[in-house]
Amino acid sequence: MPLRHVLALLLLIVSPLILIGWFGTATLARQQQQQREQLQQLFAGRLRDLSSNLRPIAQRYETELGDQLRKAERDLNRLAELRRSTPIARSVLLVDRDGRLIYPRKPVIDATSETLWYAALSELARGRPIGEQEEALGLNSDSQSSSSIKGVVPQTRIVQFPKAPSSNDLSNSDTRWQSWFHEDGLQLVLWLPRSDQTATGIVLERGRWMADLVEALPATSADESGRYELRDSTDRTVYRWGDSSETIAPIQPLATIRMEAPWNGWRLIYTPSTDASPGWLADGTVPLLATLLALATTLLLLGAYVMTTIRRQMALAQQRVSFASHVSHELRTPLTNIRLYAELAKRDLDSESTSTSDEPNQRRLLERLDVIEEESQRLSRLVTGVLDMVSGKGKLRPTIEAPDQIIRRVVESFAPAFESLEIKTELELYADQAISIDTDVIELVLVNLLSNVEKYAASGKRVTLTSAQTANLITIDVIDEGPGITKSEAKRIFEPFERLDDSLSAPAGTGLGLAIARNAARRHGGELNWIPSESGSHFRFTLLPVNPTSDRVSSPPTEPS
């Protein structure tokens, strides 16, 4: 198949595959993204439900601690008693309108830890919420009043939040939360601002409220396909539940939400045990690949069929167009001989009148006229063979004759040509029983085989013809000692118009001879085959006798059961 046809076939197959593959891949990508977003929304909703379950903890602190701050007022003794009697209270604060810390008092003993803690509380007091001015900050505001005492109170940051009213107790709506980032992390401070710009507050014990958070979260999860985590603002895991295996470590979290105040900066995270994206077996990849493979196969078969059909039609058209020129070239040899001997006969007739002896000239004239007749018959047989090959039909004309007589007659017609080429002919003939056969068929086959010896095997200088005969089978072998034929060439020598050598120096021919000969042998119920040999070429011609009462060949003998 020509390269341009192969490229056209590949283009026919690849172009739709690329378009369908691109469209299918884009569709799969969109489906995967939609599925992931749906999973994210699902688990984000679960995390928001968990965050909502933690809100009552803050409301309980607001209610209980806010009431205690109201009762204590600005009484230092009551504030001290509140500190001692409330386990969750790490420190109780009283701040004047100028932001100075009134309680607790400055340590008398210069202990480093107490001094640093007092300095941090003093900084916290100056950033306290004051009345309604802090409402604009919002629950999730990142606004912060932060400063630190250089060299004394490191890692201190204050974020203030307005208090959301409680649906159960509206009396505590004047309390305010303040997130204070100090030391090891988030510290929670609950303030009760006063109308005179003073305020009391409680710094909650970090370990206590963290324990309350953990207690409010589930211990296990009905969904064991992933891990839930509570992480602080430094991305450290505070609490974890669900799948505890370590195989999910390299997988990215699927859903993350920020918690409500006062735990601003903390997050709830869900990480699946396996990649949340659908696997290649479930995301449509296999159907897409199967579709592309089926389409490619269909296009390949369709393209191969179309191109094979077109190629066959083009070859057939070319054969039909060049058939006339090929046949005319093949007929040139017998026509040349007829013309030559006709001229010789005319010359002999012209010289007959001046010759003193008429008998030798008449003999030569008769011989040459015989050659003209034989060549005419040869030409007729060749034309008949060509027409039979084209039409696939042919009628046998049987006569009673011995096969060896036909073989000798054909060999004698080639004697002058073989003698000029110094080709010796050896005959080993053992088919001398007269039978009903079509003489023209045998002559046509032998003439084509010996013509090939004359054209292509003259260098061997020898050709051997053998024959054998049984009751129902005649075998004729033609063996030369020429260049021979390879096994790969033997596969195509019987194809019409097939020539092994198309070079300019090659003998003239059309490649029809062996195709015509095999077709003729088969019409006679026989076969013409090439027989492998170490040197030269070996052709075997077999045929069956013709039934004298009809034009059909006799049936071959049956094997005894």
Side-chain angles (χ1 to χ4, degrees), residues 174-218:
D174 52 351
T175 57
R176 299 289 185 272
W177 281 107
Q178 186 177 35
S179 295
W180 180 33
F181 295 91
H182 177 69
E183 293 179 347
D184 57 348
L186 176 66
Q187 306 287 338
L188 298 182
V189 183
L190 184 64
W191 288 101
L192 181 63
R194 307 287 180 175
S195 58
D196 58 357
Q197 305 301 312
T198 62
T200 54
I202 297 178
V203 179
L204 276 64
E205 184 66 47
R206 177 180 170 87
R208 293 276 184 172
W209 60 259
M210 287 181 62
D212 290 342
L213 283 181
V214 171
E215 184 178 0
L217 292 173

Side-chain angles (χ1 to χ4, degrees), residues 195-424:
S195 58
D196 58 357
Q197 305 301 312
T198 62
T200 54
I202 297 178
V203 179
L204 276 64
E205 184 66 47
R206 177 180 170 87
R208 293 276 184 172
W209 60 259
M210 287 181 62
D212 290 342
L213 283 181
V214 171
E215 184 178 0
L217 292 173
T220 59
S221 173
D223 181 13
E224 295 297 336
S225 61
R227 173 188 298 173
Y228 294 85
E229 293 179 87
L230 173 64
R231 295 186 186 180
D232 63 15
S233 56
T234 61
D235 207 34
R236 291 180 302 181
T237 299
V238 177
Y239 179 61
R240 176 187 300 163
W241 71 98
D243 188 358
S244 60
S245 63
E246 297 298 327
T247 58
I248 66 174
I251 300 177
Q252 294 295 325
L254 178 63
T256 301
I257 67 163
R258 294 174 64 90
M259 293 181 62
E260 300 177 3
W263 297 286
N264 184 58
W266 285 36
R267 295 177 298 158
L268 284 170
I269 296 175
Y270 172 76
T271 304
S273 300
T274 57
D275 191 355
S277 300
W280 66 279
L281 289 175
D283 63 356
T285 302
V286 172
L288 176 62
L289 293 178
T291 302
L292 292 178
L293 180 60
L295 180 61
T297 304
T298 303
L299 291 176
L300 179 62
L301 294 176
L302 180 60
Y305 172 76
V306 171
M307 296 192 69
T308 302
T309 303
I310 293 176
R311 185 182 180 187
R312 186 184 300 114
Q313 294 296 330
M314 292 176 62
L316 181 59
Q318 184 177 3
Q319 289 179 5
R320 291 176 177 176
V321 169
S322 59
F323 181 77
S325 60
H326 287 163
V327 171
S328 63
H329 183 80
E330 190 70 19
L331 300 180
R332 189 173 300 154
T333 300
L335 288 174
T336 301
N337 291 334
I338 292 173
R339 180 179 179 182
L340 172 63
Y341 281 95
E343 291 177 354
L344 291 174
K346 181 179 180 181
R347 186 183 305 168
D348 292 340
L349 289 175
D350 291 339
S351 63
E352 184 178 358
S353 58
T354 60
S355 176
T356 57
S357 178
D358 295 335
E359 185 176 352
N361 289 333
Q362 291 178 356
R363 187 180 304 110
R364 287 196 303 271
L365 179 61
L366 291 175
E367 291 175 353
R368 290 172 179 174
L369 290 175
D370 289 339
V371 172
I372 292 175
E373 183 180 2
E374 291 175 359
E375 291 297 324
S376 299
Q377 293 176 354
R378 178 185 171 189
L379 177 60
S380 177
R381 288 193 298 269
L382 183 59
V383 172
T384 301
V386 171
L387 295 177
D388 290 343
M389 185 195 70
V390 175
S391 64
K393 301 177 182 179
K395 185 177 180 180
L396 296 177
R397 290 175 288 274
T399 59
I400 303 299
E401 191 172 359
D404 289 349
Q405 294 178 356
I406 304 173
I407 295 173
R408 289 189 177 94
R409 187 166 61 248
V410 173
V411 170
E412 289 177 0
S413 67
F414 278 88
F418 283 2
E419 184 177 353
S420 63
L421 296 173
E422 298 181 354
I423 300 176
K424 294 182 179 181

Side-chain angles (χ1 to χ4, degrees), residues 28 34 161 280 317 411 416 425 429 512:
L28 288 179
Q34 292 174 356
F161 301 94
W280 66 279
V411 170
T425 304
L429 307 179
L512 288 172

Side-chain angles (χ1 to χ4, degrees), residues 496-511:
F497 306 108
E498 189 68 40
R499 287 172 52 83
L500 301 183
D501 187 0
D502 284 328
S503 62
L504 296 176
S505 60
T510 62

